[in-house]
Amino acid sequence: MRGCSLGCAGVLLWVLVAACSRPPLHQQEAFVFGTRVEVLIAGLPEAQARPAAAAVLREFDRLHRTYHAWKPSELSALNAALAAGRPQVVSEEMAELLADAQRLARLSDGLFDPGIGRLIGLWGFQSDELPGSLPDETALATWRSARPGIADLRLAGLQVSSRQRELALDFGGYLKGVALDRAAGILRAQGVSNALLNIGGNVMVLGSRDGQRWRVGIQHPRQPGPMATVELDDGEAVGTSGDYQRYFEVEGRRYAHLLDPRSGRPAAGTQALTVLVTARPAAGTLSDAATKPLFIAGSDWPHLARRLQVAHVLRVDGDGRWQISKAMQGRLQFVGVPPQGLEVVP
């Protein structure tokens, strides 16, 4: 049995905006980063909202094309140079992204690692069509022996090199958050103060909707519909990682796309993990990047959450038990009856 393909990777979050008494929103959608993206703008006439939303979607498309790891792009050209043992001169933008990704990898003890592109390829998670069988064990053992990662990159200005030829970069767990921050900047520059940006369940908001907070619902990992809702303030972002996004099953066991760099295998022990990042520089980037190491860390997530300065966390473990940080408890509204045995983590 196969799980969700790339095309439905965004079924993580509902934007709860339906209300007959409110003025209509301007909404534009597209399919970028392998998922559905949408831009909602409130409180502006169509003539101003439409070009602002269109500018955001153009930037999403540019980022997707520039940093696609598996199609011809600036990133795939860098991967080819690394595999050949050649240094490569990159754009200033890419150099900044690589340096920031290395910083986040260090803070997460290497559990966030955009340098595991070859491992992603071994498992087949780079493809729209998910595999129906496990990767070759010898190939996995070879990868684990080399253990390439983004820490192997050497950055000298705009020149990038590595002695580790097995290193291959994939920004799939990072770029959507970067795009949220870019989009927020574009909208503010065009006079948009109230908007919601949704990239496959990674959400960032500006302002409010007609004076009321934007409210979003967080997908239940094993049931249809949201398990909780949260209201967001200006500049806040929410990200979710789940084992129900992209996975396949072999002999009744689920293999999800969230790979543990330590073992070279899909992380086990967590069904879903959501973070809320309060307003700060690069809040969108952090909301995307932080969910991966916290998901992979399992029950050790509080340690990494503190290092990454993420106070608002909701986790559903492999047995369906809920853990929630005290800060998140004050922001979350459960849908239906609150779960029994909810563990609140200081």
Side-chain angles (χ1 to χ4, degrees), residues 150-173:
I150 197 167
D152 294 317
L153 277 185
R154 294 184 177 183
L155 307 178
L158 300 183
Q159 182 170 285
V160 181
S161 62
S162 177
R163 293 180 179 176
Q164 175 56 271
R165 293 196 179 193
E166 295 299 309
L167 173 62
L169 298 160
D170 186 316
F171 282 166

Side-chain angles (χ1 to χ4, degrees), residues 97-114:
L97 292 178
L98 292 172
D100 189 50
Q102 283 190 325
R103 178 186 65 85
L104 291 167
R106 288 192 297 270
L107 287 173
S108 67
D109 293 338
L111 296 189
F112 167 77
D113 193 342

Side-chain angles (χ1 to χ4, degrees), residues 4 30 36 51 85 89 93 112 160 165 196 199 227 235 249 283 287 291 316-317:
C4 180
R36 184 176 68 90
V89 175
E93 178 183 67
F112 167 77
V160 181
R165 293 196 179 193
L196 183 145
I199 306 179
M227 58 183 175
E249 292 184 354
S287 73
T291 61
V316 181
D317 74 11

Side-chain angles (χ1 to χ4, degrees), residues 2-15:
R2 293 188 178 185
C4 180
S5 71
L6 189 60
C8 58
V11 188
L12 291 171
L13 181 148
W14 281 263
V15 180

Side-chain angles (χ1 to χ4, degrees), residues 273 293-295 297-311 313 315 323-325 343-346:
L273 189 136
L294 298 188
F295 184 103
S299 60
D300 293 333
W301 66 263
H303 163 68
L304 291 185
R306 287 189 291 269
R307 291 194 64 180
L308 290 164
Q309 298 183 350
V310 175
V313 181
R315 174 178 179 250
Q323 290 182 308
I324 188 170
S325 66
E343 179 185 355
V344 180
V345 179

Side-chain angles (χ1 to χ4, degrees), residues 255-310:
Y255 296 89
H257 74 293
L258 293 150
L259 301 175
D260 188 336
R262 298 168 299 186
S263 66
R265 299 182 180 278
T270 302
Q271 294 181 9
L273 189 136
T274 295
V275 301
L276 183 158
V277 176
T278 53
R280 69 189 76 172
T285 300
L286 183 58
S287 73
D288 190 15
T291 61
K292 283 72 180 180
L294 298 188
F295 184 103
I296 294 167
S299 60
D300 293 333
W301 66 263
H303 163 68
L304 291 185
R306 287 189 291 269
R307 291 194 64 180
L308 290 164
Q309 298 183 350
V310 175

Side-chain angles (χ1 to χ4, degrees), residues 63-74:
L63 289 170
H64 177 66
R65 288 184 286 104
T66 302
Y67 299 107
H68 201 298
W70 306 97
K71 294 181 180 180
S73 69
E74 185 178 350

Side-chain angles (χ1 to χ4, degrees), residues 327-339:
M328 187 66 132
Q329 184 185 30
R331 297 290 299 270
L332 214 62
Q333 293 181 314
F334 296 108
V335 175
V337 180

